[in-house]
């Protein structure tokens, strides 16, 4: 299995079902209607992250696979990649200026 980078990059993942549930809850609450600028911003994330090597181990373990790993090297997987991506669930500040 070819692994971009050194496998030590840390990523924060969000289950798609949790993402959709959160989006639907915000829409149901309709908080943007009463907000100062007609907009409410929410960050969807988790307080957890996992190393790429751990993701490989979890997935391959669940599938019963033991592939040979070939790393491309470096602390980034691709151009523009960040070795640590952490999506915070904290609410953002309201936008500055007038709404578009």
């Amino acid at each position: 299995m070819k692994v971009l980078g050194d496998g030590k990059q840390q990523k924060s993942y969000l289950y798609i079902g949790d993402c959709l549930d959160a989006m639907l809850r915000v829409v149901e609450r309709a908080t943007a209607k009463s907000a100062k600028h007609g907009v409410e911003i929410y960050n969807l994330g988790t307080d957890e992250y996992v190393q790429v090597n751990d993701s490989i181990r979890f997935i391959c373990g669940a599938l019963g696979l033991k592939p040979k790993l070939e790393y491309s090297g470096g602390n980034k997987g691709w151009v523009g990649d960040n070795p640590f991506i952490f999506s915070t669930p904290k609410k953002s500040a309201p936008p500055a200026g007038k709404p578009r």
Side-chain angles (χ1 to χ4, degrees):
M1 172 186 282
K2 292 184 179 182
V3 181
L4 296 175
D6 59 9
K8 295 179 183 175
Q9 302 90 331
Q10 298 171 326
K11 308 294 181 179
S12 179
Y13 296 103
L14 181 64
Y15 178 65
I16 186 67
D18 293 340
C19 178
L20 293 172
D21 286 345
M23 291 170 65
L24 291 172
R25 282 188 187 186
V26 170
V27 169
E28 288 171 1
R29 291 178 59 193
T31 55
K33 289 180 184 176
S34 61
K36 181 178 178 181
H37 297 287
V39 174
E40 283 288 321
I41 299 172
Y42 294 87
N43 291 332
L44 301 181
T46 177
D47 290 329
E48 301 171 336
Y49 55 87
V50 65
Q51 216 178 62
V52 170
N53 282 327
D54 292 331
S55 292
I56 293 169
R57 186 171 44 83
F58 299 147
I59 294 166
C60 290
L63 296 173
L65 301 173
K66 293 183 180 182
K68 178 183 174 192
L69 304 179
E70 297 176 21
Y71 297 94
S72 66
N75 70 345
K76 295 182 180 182
W78 57 88
V79 175
D81 185 26
N82 190 322
F84 181 59
I85 296 175
F86 183 69
S87 302
T88 178
K90 294 181 180 178
K91 189 170 184 314
S92 296
K98 296 181 181 179
R100 295 181 189 195

